Amino acid sequence: MAADTLTAQDYIAHHLTNLTLGLHPEHGLTFAHNAEEAAAMGFWALHVDSLLWSFGLGYLAYRFMRGVAQKATAGVPTGAQNFLEWIVDFVNENVRGSFSGKNDLVAPLALTVFVWVFLMNLMDLIPVDLIPYAFAQFMGLFGADPHHVYMRIVPTTDPNITFGMSLSVFLLVLYYSIKIKGVGGFASELTMQPFGKLGMPANLVLEGISLLSKPLSLSLRLFGNLYAGEMIFILIALMYGHNLLLDLSGMTLQLAWAIFHILIITLQAFIFMVLTIVYLDMAHQHH
Amino acid sequence: MNINLTLLVQMIAFGVFVAFCMKYVWPPIMKALEERTAKIAEGLAAAERGKEEQELGEQRALEVMKEAKTNASDIVSQAQKRYNEIVDEAKRDAVAEAERIRTAAQAEIEQEANRAREELRERMAQLAVAAAEKILQKEVDAKAHKDLIESFAKQI
């Protein structure tokens, strides 16, 4: 749709730029008008769109679950309770299967991760231009230039979001590693294996990498999958507006990719949850 | 694709959501699920007990029916006995009554016969007297020969 007024590069870049609020070295506290401005803001900037969608979806999920939990009865479950119990049972079964220790945090954590990540991924199925375009037009009413209003609605395509969650999980892993094994136990786990005392530096390098790869792989896997998925939706969207044949093939491709993507978003949410459980299980195990 | 403050904010939000889920969502749901598990187990146990009780009840019913059958057959045989007795009694009564009626009838017949005989005797006496009158062609004084007539009549 946008190919007439914008080049394909502009269109893609526009879709991959967050609505960034931050301190610009020259303009002060403001929304970035382009990717360069956003980059110039450095660390002290917020991706308002990612955060708002992430909070909104998290709050929605929490309100729903809280509402059901308040009315939950031991009688015959109906409607929403049935649905939530289905999810809770599913999560609980995974926790029981993968987590051998005893910790009341793990199951609710896994539930939050699964539901939240799934909802954030689900935003990917909304047509790529719909909300950004509507938002740009809406902001245009207030005098903003629609071409420089950014809106990314899939928070999990923002590495800040996925790293934020995986680092939280990583902190929990560190916390429980030290709590369960003690500082010495955890340190010896990092340095005394697999080669024994003499190979201490090599051990530290190997174990250190394996430890650090946990949050990295956790977040990059989710980010990569969703980013690639979104990119393909954007590329398919580029096919529209040229001729009938391209429009039709675009529609077909978009439908096919969306159907396939349902699998990916569910699978990625599931993987994030399972790995969270597994990492925490490893933190609870003595060697 | 800059790493910035968003990351920290998301970490905090993540912690908050997990904490809320852990405090306000998970426990009530798990409680409901556990309660239901207990309820179902209880229900199954109750069903099992009910089944046993039903079996016991069926056994008891069979016993009662058996007893009732025995009772009924007892009652029937007693009734049969009583019936026979009544019939016998009735028969005896009937025979006695018949005997009585017969006796009465016989007595009456005898009485009738005696009366008829008496009447006949008197008539014969009169006829004899009349015949004697005719034979004697003379009026016999009935009064005078009363004794004669009577002795004659008695001889008949």
Side-chain angles (χ1 to χ4, degrees):
Chain A
M1 54 137 258
D4 298 334
T5 51
L6 289 166
T7 66
Q9 281 98 327
D10 284 344
Y11 177 72
I12 293 171
H14 188 268
H15 266 287
L16 295 181
T17 305
N18 284 97
L19 179 64
T20 312
L21 174 70
L23 267 176
H24 193 268
E26 289 160 36
H27 308 305
L29 184 67
T30 177
F31 282 101
H33 290 92
N34 50 52
E36 289 72 40
E37 271 189 39
M41 286 171 180
F43 183 78
W44 297 105
L46 285 175
H47 289 168
V48 178
D49 47 359
S50 293
L51 285 175
L52 281 184
W53 285 108
S54 153
F55 293 174
L57 292 167
Y59 182 72
L60 210 71
Y62 172 72
R63 275 315 314 160
F64 169 71
M65 294 195 293
R66 175 68 184 145
V68 173
Q70 268 173 328
K71 283 182 281 174
T73 60
V76 180
T78 49
Q81 194 189 341
N82 224 339
F83 178 66
L84 184 57
E85 278 183 12
W86 175 56
I87 298 171
V88 165
D89 259 344
F90 169 73
V91 171
N92 207 19
E93 227 156 80
N94 274 294
V95 171
R96 263 191 233 144
S98 311
F99 188 77
S100 50
K102 186 161 172 21
N103 191 336
D104 286 341
L105 169 75
V106 176
L109 171 71
L111 177 70
T112 312
V113 164
F114 180 64
V115 173
W116 201 9
V117 171
F118 177 77
L119 284 178
M120 290 194 283
N121 290 353
L122 194 64
M123 300 303 292
D124 214 1
L125 291 184
I126 295 175
V128 279
D129 278 318
L130 185 66
I131 294 176
Y133 181 74
F135 181 69
Q137 297 305 310
F138 177 72
M139 291 313 284
L141 295 178
F142 298 99
D145 177 5
H147 291 309
H148 295 288
V149 173
Y150 302 99
M151 171 57 56
R152 293 182 76 188
I153 61 168
V154 192
T156 39
T157 57
D158 183 347
N160 286 296
I161 299 296
T162 61
F163 269 110
M165 289 193 292
S166 75
L167 282 179
S168 295
V169 172
F170 185 60
L171 288 182
L172 283 173
V173 168
L174 291 181
Y175 171 73
Y176 282 112
S177 290
I178 290 168
K179 190 185 171 197
I180 303 287
K181 300 163 190 163
V183 178
F186 185 46
S188 76
E189 195 181 288
L190 286 176
T191 52
M192 294 302 169
Q193 55 169 1
F195 298 128
K197 263 184 192 159
L198 291 175
M200 212 181 265
N203 290 342
L204 187 60
V205 170
L206 280 175
E207 288 296 316
I209 288 174
S210 107
L211 184 69
L212 291 177
S213 71
K214 284 174 186 173
L216 211 62
S217 66
L218 193 59
S219 57
L220 283 181
R221 182 182 298 107
L222 179 61
F223 164 70
N225 272 283
L226 269 293
Y227 188 79
E230 194 202 25
M231 185 65 97
I232 289 176
F233 275 123
I234 294 170
L235 291 176
I236 292 171
L238 276 175
M239 296 172 73
Y240 293 118
H242 299 287
N243 58 52
L244 189 64
L245 186 66
L246 271 179
D247 284 352
L248 284 177
S249 31
M251 278 165 70
T252 318
L253 279 173
Q254 193 167 25
L255 182 68
W257 183 242
I259 291 169
F260 180 61
H261 215 55
I262 294 173
L263 178 71
I264 294 179
I265 61 177
T266 317
L267 197 63
Q268 287 307 320
F270 176 68
I271 289 172
F272 202 102
M273 176 189 80
V274 169
L275 285 179
T276 301
I277 299 168
V278 168
Y279 291 160
L280 280 167
D281 181 50
M282 287 160 84
H284 282 71
Q285 269 169 0
H286 290 278
H287 286 288
Chain B
M1 239 182 288
N2 317 298
I3 294 293
N4 56 29
L5 200 57
T6 313
L7 179 115
L8 289 181
V9 177
Q10 175 70 11
M11 281 177 79
I12 294 164
F14 184 72
V16 168
F17 276 125
V18 170
F20 272 66
C21 181
M22 186 181 166
K23 201 160 161 37
Y24 297 115
V25 173
W26 194 261
I29 298 276
M30 281 331 266
K31 196 172 143 250
L33 286 176
E34 272 156 24
E35 264 172 32
R36 183 165 329 121
T37 309
K39 251 187 183 175
I40 289 171
E42 208 173 274
L44 286 176
E48 198 62 37
R49 272 204 305 280
K51 222 174 172 184
E52 271 166 29
E53 263 162 28
Q54 191 201 2
E55 266 164 29
L56 277 177
E58 265 168 18
Q59 230 165 26
R60 175 105 188 79
L62 277 178
E63 272 166 28
V64 168
M65 261 161 74
K66 221 158 133 189
E67 212 181 294
K69 262 184 194 161
T70 323
N71 274 353
S73 72
D74 276 1
I75 290 169
V76 166
S77 68
Q78 264 177 18
Q80 190 70 40
K81 213 165 115 194
R82 183 88 189 94
Y83 162 75
N84 285 340
E85 275 174 16
I86 289 171
V87 167
D88 281 354
E89 212 180 295
K91 258 187 202 158
R92 273 201 308 278
D93 282 359
V95 169
E97 180 71 7
E99 185 67 24
R100 195 181 59 76
I101 290 170
R102 205 169 56 83
T103 318
Q106 217 156 20
E108 208 173 326
I109 288 166
E110 232 156 83
Q111 227 174 353
E112 275 311 302
N114 283 344
R115 212 173 38 228
R117 219 176 273 145
E118 205 65 36
E119 211 170 307
L120 207 63
R121 197 184 289 148
E122 265 171 37
R123 294 280 289 173
M124 277 296 276
Q126 281 168 3
L127 274 175
V129 172
E133 260 176 20
K134 273 200 180 137
I135 291 164
L136 294 174
Q137 282 182 340
K138 153 180 157 187
E139 202 176 330
V140 178
D141 186 359
K143 281 176 189 166
H145 301 291
K146 193 180 164 208
D147 295 338
L148 192 68
I149 290 162
E150 273 183 0
S151 72
F152 176 71
K154 269 180 188 146
Q155 280 167 14
I156 294 169

